[in-house]
Amino acid sequence: MVPQTRSEYGFIGYQVPVFPRASRSARVRVPIKKKSGKNQKRAFEILVSVAGELLQEQEGERQSSKFNLSDQETCDEKTSINYRQIYTLNKFSCAPDRFNLKACSNLKSFDQLANVSGRNANLSAAVGIPSLVSPEFFEGKLKDAGGELSIIQTVKSETLPLTGSLDVLERDRKPSSFFCSDSKAYMFKDWLTFDPSRHSNAIEMINRDDEKNYFGCSQAATTLKAFRVPSNIADRGIKNLSSSRYWRVSSNLNGGASIRNDGKRRMLSHDGRTSYGHRRSKRISPFERRCFFNHLPFSGSDRGFQLDDRFNSANKRSDGDNSSAELLHAAIRVGSSIASPRNHLVSRERNVKIRIKSFTVPELLVEIPTTATVGSLKRTVTEAVTTVLGDGLRVSILLQGKKVRGDGKTLLQTGISRDGKHRNLGFLLEPRNMKIIPPPCLGERRITRHATFFTLEPGTAGVSLVPPLIGCNHSAESDLHLIPNISTNSNIPSSQSVLSISAISVEALTLVPVHHRARRHEFVQRRIRRPFSVSEVEALVQAVEKLGTGRWREVKVRAFDNAKHRTYVDLKDKWKTLIHTARISPQQRRGEPLPQELLDRVLAVHAYWSKQQATQQLESGV
DNA sequence: ATTAGGG
DNA sequence: CCCTAAT
């Protein structure tokens, strides 16, 4: 069944993707009452609402056992829901006295569980009590809203991220529990949005019967964003989708190169606010794909959005022969050459087929500490390159060494089409802005949009310049192997070396201020990994010997005051790992070997202060 | 901000 | 290293 229509309803504000059958989900139980209880409660309200519908579906399919959580499940600590996150409801179950939810946010894949029960939630948070369940829902208003919808939409966890395919389910079933009472049809909401400010008002219902394309969602924190989007924008979404994917992967690669070394991380969401971000993940799980996907508009069709789509859509944009645009090879190598054109007739028009086999990346400056690893250098270069390729390139056309002016002219007029062998045709790639990679500690990353299509002369032959597949390795952990002409002369005078990637086909670096659209996705940079040196460990041990554990601030001031990149949390963490290291066998240890003497001291100091702590507690207890 | 721990 | 509850 392919949905011809899409219907959505909801509250505006929070958005909760429904994700009925996740393949897996880790679990963290969340009590209602928390420091950030208010927001969390909202999230729960939403989740519970959604789950209510899911339960009905579940009931109909007699799959309840699949979702049941055992009764021994108890409760505990850990708040995991964060206000501005998107939650995905993974699993749910309902018992007479409890309601279990598993959910995850977009920022942490599959490790959130909300478990709401009469026991671990505080009294007013038990299921069925209006304070937990949103009033509308509880009182059946939501039901009415849903009742008008004849289409139930659900999403298969496996297929949505990649294909965007949707299943339409129709249910005509007797409702159950406290949710909904007698809707004729129940609906799976792909997105349920919830506006705290108006959550006791009417429910908004948006029918989108006439549109095939739609926006999956906007950002969770973005309120009042219309769902309805013109299809031309949705079309554009395909591009963004690809580009963002592209960026995401490449950014993931940058685990080693840090822009900020001040011990803090930052995440920029598209609305410019700063918030916490997600961790770099080792792989792109289906859920991640979905989450990622969810941020973006997508085509309602069944086609997926594999990387190839970028090219597909590029081809389409060129208005030309779809098969003609070859995948442009954009390895970072020297020179650009042009493939000879085949005579190809599309319609009445003769197309010029131009293939860029490779091109040179314009000059890049990468500043990186000499202490950085080779891997981080690679990543830094990767990022620099992808940044340039993404949005920072200006393309000029060179014919016989001269820039071809006038974007309005046809290829015929400029003579490009007659240039049989295209020997004299060239492309000039110039960075639009010089500051590609800010040196560490010197500022904030430029936010650019990545992956840009350059389409020349639409209407005739199209040449799409597609960023290379750098970073399309799906394993974010793996290092990329760039092949730029990196001069690895390490005549590094100071602590900072400037690495220059020379450009060949670039004549000038133009300094064109470019408007930076904030990327629409959160992006967060993990700090660079900086293994502790032996001397650092030495200093740490010495400080702890003196100060004891639990005074990391003082340890920091005392022994690492000038090591800006070592926070007291780092020191505490290092101490933790030191203890572990000292306990394991030398064979199991990794990294720079530490003198056994040092490790012995670690254990001794640890034992000593542990005892101290214990006796102190005894004293205070008495 | 710091501390303490889990991830 | 990250994340975050609890101080």
Side-chain angles (χ1 to χ4, degrees):
Chain A
M1 278 190 289
V2 174
Q4 296 302 317
T5 66
R6 285 198 66 97
S7 309
E8 294 162 34
Y9 70 95
F11 315 83
I12 297 189
Y14 304 98
Q15 298 182 334
V16 180
V18 175
F19 200 27
R21 283 174 202 65
S23 52
R24 67 191 183 96
S25 57
R27 317 175 56 184
V28 175
R29 293 179 204 110
V30 185
I32 288 294
K33 193 177 179 183
K34 239 3 190 180
K35 193 160 72 176
S36 54
K38 202 173 174 186
N39 296 330
Q40 194 179 336
K41 197 172 120 188
R42 294 274 188 230
F44 272 93
E45 289 174 359
I46 299 164
L47 289 170
V48 168
S49 304
V50 173
E53 297 196 8
L54 294 177
L55 276 174
Q56 293 171 359
E57 213 256 357
Q58 161 196 343
E59 191 182 75
E61 294 182 0
R62 281 177 280 124
Q63 286 180 334
S64 50
S65 61
K66 188 173 172 182
F67 297 95
N68 269 350
L69 297 179
S70 74
D71 273 345
Q72 302 101 287
E73 295 278 7
T74 49
C75 45
D76 52 52
E77 64 284 330
K78 288 300 173 192
T79 291
S80 304
I81 295 218
N82 187 340
Y83 177 42
R84 269 188 271 165
Q85 294 179 350
I86 295 178
Y87 298 101
T88 299
L89 184 59
N90 287 331
K91 292 193 176 186
F92 53 89
S93 70
C94 189
D97 64 330
R98 63 192 299 156
F99 200 95
N100 296 306
L101 302 173
K102 277 188 194 176
C104 61
S105 76
N106 60 326
L107 299 183
K108 288 191 132 189
S109 43
F110 291 108
D111 60 356
Q112 310 274 359
L113 163 73
N115 183 334
V116 185
S117 78
R119 258 202 297 183
N120 68 355
N122 65 27
L123 288 177
S124 65
V127 173
I129 292 177
S131 66
L132 175 64
V133 180
S134 67
E136 299 85 354
F137 200 94
F138 190 66
E139 291 164 21
K141 291 182 193 167
L142 198 62
K143 162 203 71 186
D144 295 336
E148 295 179 30
L149 303 170
S150 58
I151 293 189
I152 299 171
Q153 289 173 333
T154 185
V155 181
K156 284 192 173 166
S157 59
E158 303 82 14
T159 55
L160 175 66
L162 287 176
T163 69
S165 71
L166 300 163
D167 290 336
V168 178
L169 303 177
E170 289 216 5
R171 300 255 178 260
D172 192 338
R173 186 176 308 120
K174 195 169 164 239
S176 66
S177 70
F178 0 76
F179 304 101
C180 301
S181 54
D182 55 14
S183 285
K184 197 169 167 197
Y186 301 106
M187 182 179 129
F188 266 28
K189 303 177 287 296
D190 287 314
W191 296 96
L192 211 180
T193 50
F194 192 97
D195 182 4
S197 66
R198 31 184 314 204
H199 90 287
S200 55
N201 294 329
I203 292 146
E204 278 205 7
M205 192 167 124
I206 307 159
N207 275 300
R208 309 181 43 82
D209 289 351
D210 52 344
E211 289 190 29
K212 210 173 170 188
N213 295 326
Y214 91 120
F215 258 119
C217 73
S218 51
Q219 197 80 349
T222 307
T223 57
L224 302 175
K225 201 158 225 176
F227 272 114
R228 189 178 292 268
V229 172
S231 46
N232 62 321
I233 295 181
D235 184 41
R236 195 171 64 211
I238 295 173
K239 183 173 94 178
N240 289 335
L241 194 63
S242 305
S243 63
S244 300
R245 176 195 185 94
Y246 169 71
W247 165 247
R248 178 195 178 90
V249 174
S250 61
S251 68
N252 274 345
L253 290 162
N254 207 342
S258 180
I259 305 305
R260 290 169 57 111
N261 285 327
D262 56 3
K264 304 239 167 146
R265 316 190 330 162
R266 218 179 47 138
M267 180 179 90
L268 289 170
S269 47
H270 77 289
D271 55 4
R273 275 176 282 193
T274 301
S275 58
Y276 288 106
H278 63 93
R279 305 180 61 141
R280 182 177 56 150
S281 51
K282 293 186 168 61
R283 60 188 171 274
I284 298 180
S285 68
F287 172 69
E288 279 181 288
R289 282 197 295 262
R290 179 201 160 93
C291 286
F292 166 61
F293 185 82
N294 282 341
H295 284 81
L296 295 154
F298 64 91
S299 144
S301 75
D302 267 346
R303 72 197 201 77
F305 74 96
Q306 269 96 12
L307 291 168
D308 284 351
D309 271 323
R310 191 168 62 221
F311 307 118
N312 290 341
S313 48
N315 293 352
K316 279 169 188 162
R317 294 168 67 86
S318 73
D319 270 343
D321 177 6
N322 266 2
S323 67
S324 72
E326 310 239 3
L327 198 154
L328 300 176
H329 210 73
I332 304 166
R333 271 276 167 75
V334 185
S336 50
S337 63
I338 308 299
S340 66
R342 272 176 273 156
N343 292 334
H344 206 114
L345 235 56
V346 172
S347 307
R348 304 178 301 273
E349 227 169 339
R350 199 190 195 91
N351 286 345
V352 186
K353 200 168 190 174
I354 297 167
R355 181 163 91 187
I356 301 175
K357 282 182 174 172
S358 64
F359 60 85
T360 303
V361 175
E363 181 175 308
L364 290 175
L365 284 182
V366 176
E367 216 172 313
I368 190 166
T370 52
T371 54
T373 64
V374 173
S376 70
L377 171 60
K378 287 180 183 173
R379 288 185 285 267
T380 305
V381 173
T382 301
E383 178 168 338
V385 170
T386 51
T387 302
V388 170
L389 294 178
D391 208 20
L393 280 184
R394 188 178 60 198
V395 177
S396 305
I397 307 300
L398 298 178
L399 190 57
Q400 297 181 331
K402 286 184 189 171
K403 271 193 191 178
V404 178
R405 309 276 177 188
D407 288 351
K409 290 186 198 166
T410 67
L411 298 185
L412 212 59
Q413 288 169 339
T414 52
I416 290 175
S417 62
R418 289 191 302 273
D419 183 27
K421 297 199 171 178
H422 292 278
R423 286 260 162 77
N424 297 315
L425 182 60
F427 296 95
L428 181 61
L429 309 177
E430 294 170 295
R432 302 173 93 142
N433 58 328
M434 287 257 290
K435 192 175 180 182
I436 305 302
I437 291 289
C441 309
L442 282 191
E444 303 178 351
R445 166 197 303 278
R446 314 290 301 219
I447 303 299
T448 58
R449 188 165 55 89
H450 285 257
T452 303
F453 295 94
F454 300 90
T455 303
L456 306 177
E457 301 292 337
T460 58
V463 175
S464 300
L465 208 170
V466 183
L469 294 181
I470 301 166
C472 286
N473 185 333
H474 282 218
S475 163
E477 292 286 285
S478 69
D479 278 340
L480 289 176
H481 300 286
L482 291 184
I483 9 157
N485 325 330
I486 301 178
S487 53
T488 32
N489 303 337
S490 0
N491 299 332
I492 301 155
S494 69
S495 69
Q496 301 267 304
S497 63
V498 174
L499 191 117
S500 166
I501 301 172
S502 60
I504 292 180
S505 60
V506 163
E507 47 182 36
L509 284 175
T510 47
L511 201 55
V512 179
V514 90
H515 64 285
H516 285 286
R517 276 195 270 171
R519 215 183 302 96
R520 58 172 76 218
H521 303 294
E522 64 272 18
F523 168 74
V524 56
Q525 179 72 53
R526 193 187 171 106
R527 280 198 305 157
I528 190 173
R529 183 173 175 273
R530 286 168 150 172
F532 277 69
S533 66
V534 176
S535 55
E536 280 181 306
V537 172
E538 172 85 43
L540 177 60
V541 172
Q542 192 172 323
V544 177
E545 278 172 342
K546 201 125 202 166
L547 299 169
T549 56
R551 299 166 69 184
W552 302 112
R553 166 71 201 285
E554 292 169 69
V555 170
K556 155 80 176 162
V557 171
R558 183 189 184 91
F560 291 85
D561 207 20
N562 47 13
K564 220 180 92 198
H565 57 289
R566 303 292 190 202
T567 70
Y568 48 75
V569 175
D570 293 332
L571 302 179
K572 183 260 306 173
D573 286 342
K574 181 56 186 173
W575 184 255
K576 182 174 63 177
T577 61
L578 269 181
I579 292 169
H580 180 252
T581 303
R583 286 173 172 165
I584 62 179
S585 70
Q587 293 81 31
Q588 303 178 69
R589 295 171 191 159
R590 291 179 297 181
E592 194 178 4
L594 290 170
Q596 186 60 42
E597 173 264 339
L598 211 48
L599 293 172
D600 291 341
R601 281 167 69 192
V602 167
L603 287 182
V605 172
H606 178 251
Y608 173 78
W609 285 107
S610 299
K611 199 171 288 178
Q612 285 291 307
Q613 210 169 28
T615 57
Q616 263 185 19
Q617 280 187 354
L618 274 181
E619 286 169 18
S620 65
V622 172

